[in-house]
Structure formats: structure tokens, C-alpha cells
Amino acid sequence: METEEYGLAKVLTPHIDDAELRNVDGLAGSGALADFTYGPRSLRYLAVEERRLLGGRVSQVEAERATFDQVALQSVVIERCVLASSDWMDCALSRVVFRNCKLLGANFVENKWANVVFQNCRIEFATFDSIQATAPIVFIDTRFKDVTFRRSDLPGGHMSRCTLDDVEFDGGTYTNFDFRGTDLSTVRGAGYLNGILIDPMQRQEVAEALVSELELHYPDRGSQ
């Protein structure tokens, strides 16, 4: 299998043979769906439950609402999609790439991830809750706005050239997660980022984030 390196993180890439892909009209159904391509589509509701998606591309899909419930995605590329109000419940993602996507109002809950990459995406009003990663998770050139990472274990991951606007870390472990190249000065819950990798110059950013959460008081000198 081929790998890509992001800093210290080595990620297994999706294995897709485009010449063998077949167009499908939908992702719903039972059993496994393999070697497929889906899109472009504009939908009011996209629902996929208890299904395995293997070796495929999902391209240019716009959905006003989406539900992925107990879905396993393996070697899948999701590109140029706009998914609003999407719920990813109890899913397993392995060698999955989100590229040039907008995930607006996404909830990833109780997921198991390995080798997942978000590249040049917008992730807004989203929650990553109880994500268990067994291989690196990578965020590149991605904009976060009003996003919470809660009770997630993401060791050895990577985040660079990302914008963090109103991002909170609420529990979880991030040992050896490489944040070099991303400004951490405005994050909330910086105390949970024990064991992360940063550049020396980022020490001030983390210090600013920690101080902003403390209820500090600065009395006037005249009151001393």
C-alpha cells in the first residue's frame, strides 16, 4: 500500500482503480458496495445505514441533511461535497480522504478511524465526539469554525496550515499529535493537549490559550 507523509505522520492512502469503478444511483442498501463512483447529486436527504462502502469515490454531492449510521468506509475518497446537518454515528473509516468538502453542522459520534485525511475542507458547527483513532488522522489547509473535539483519542495525528476559529478541546488524548504550522492561541481547553508536538515559538500561543481560560485579576497599583 502507498503512504503519504504529513510531518511525522505516515498515512495509508485509499487504493482506488478508477478504470474499474462503476456509476451507482445511490449509496443506500444492504451488504457491501465496492468499486463505485457516486455523484454529482443534489439531495434533500442522504441516508446510509449498516453498509460497507469499499474502494469508491463520492464526488460533488450536495445534501441538505445526511445520516451515516453504522457505516464502514474503506478506501473511499469524498471530494467537492457539501454536506449540511450530517450525522456520522458508530461508523468506521479506514483510508478515507475528504478533499475540498464543506461539512456544515456535522456530528461524528462513536467513530473508529484509521488513516483519515481532511484536505482543504471547511468544517463548521461540528462535533468530533468519542473518536477512537488507531492510525494517524490528518487535517491540512482546513478551516474550523465553532468545532468541538470531545472525549476523542487521536494519537500521532497531524494538523497544519489550518484556521481554528472558536475551537474547543473537551477531554480526550492527543499524544504526539503534531500541531506545528497551526496557530493555537485561540483554542479553548488547551489543558487537554498534553503531549502534543509544537515548535518552540508556539509555546507563547499555548500560553495565551491557557491564560485566557483563567479568571485572572489585575488590581490597580494604587490598591496595593
Side-chain angles (χ1 to χ4, degrees):
M1 294 183 181
E2 296 183 359
T3 63
E4 292 186 1
E5 296 185 8
Y6 301 89
L8 300 178
K10 295 182 179 180
V11 178
L12 295 176
T13 59
H15 179 68
I16 300 174
D17 187 347
D18 288 288
E20 296 184 357
L21 300 185
R22 58 189 177 91
N23 291 310
V24 298
D25 293 328
L27 301 178
S30 60
L33 177 62
D35 301 326
F36 68 93
T37 179
Y38 177 64
R41 289 286 192 280
S42 181
L43 307 169
R44 298 191 66 178
Y45 184 38
L46 171 64
V48 187
E49 299 181 359
E50 299 182 2
R51 185 136 220 223
R52 298 176 64 203
L53 304 178
L54 311 173
R57 292 186 183 275
V58 180
S59 302
Q60 301 181 65
V61 173
E62 296 188 10
E64 297 179 15
R65 183 185 174 195
T67 299
F68 294 81
D69 187 2
Q70 300 182 59
V71 178
L73 294 86
Q74 183 174 330
S75 288
V76 174
V77 175
I78 302 173
E79 54 192 358
R80 292 174 289 168
C81 293
V82 181
L83 302 180
S85 300
S86 61
D87 292 315
W88 303 70
M89 312 300 291
D90 194 19
C91 294
L93 280 62
S94 176
R95 302 198 305 278
V96 174
V97 174
F98 293 83
R99 183 180 296 124
N100 300 315
C101 291
K102 297 179 182 179
L103 303 174
L104 313 175
N107 291 298
F108 295 92
V109 180
E110 298 285 353
N111 281 204
K112 294 179 175 60
W113 288 4
N115 299 295
V116 177
V117 176
F118 294 82
Q119 182 177 11
N120 196 31
C121 294
R122 280 178 54 191
I123 303 175
E124 300 183 0
F125 305 102
T127 301
F128 297 85
D129 191 345
S130 304
I131 308 299
Q132 305 295 320
T134 57
I137 308 305
V138 171
F139 301 92
I140 299 289
D141 295 314
T142 290
R143 178 183 176 182
F144 296 86
K145 182 178 181 180
D146 200 355
V147 174
T148 299
F149 291 85
R150 180 178 295 123
R151 298 187 297 266
S152 294
D153 295 324
L154 306 178
H158 179 91
M159 178 184 290
S160 62
R161 302 191 303 275
C162 294
T163 301
L164 307 184
D165 182 6
D166 199 12
V167 171
E168 179 178 7
F169 294 89
D170 181 9
T173 57
Y174 308 90
T175 305
N176 291 326
F177 198 108
D178 189 350
F179 281 95
R180 292 176 295 176
T182 292
D183 187 348
L184 297 173
S185 61
T186 63
V187 302
R188 302 192 308 276
Y192 289 107
L193 299 180
N194 187 45
I196 66 172
L197 304 179
I198 61 173
D199 287 323
M201 62 187 304
Q202 288 178 285
R203 294 175 61 184
Q204 181 62 33
E205 296 176 4
V206 176
E208 290 179 17
L210 289 169
V211 168
S212 67
E213 297 180 7
L214 301 176
E215 294 184 3
L216 301 178
H217 302 279
Y218 303 92
D220 295 334
R221 291 186 177 182
S223 63
Q224 296 179 355

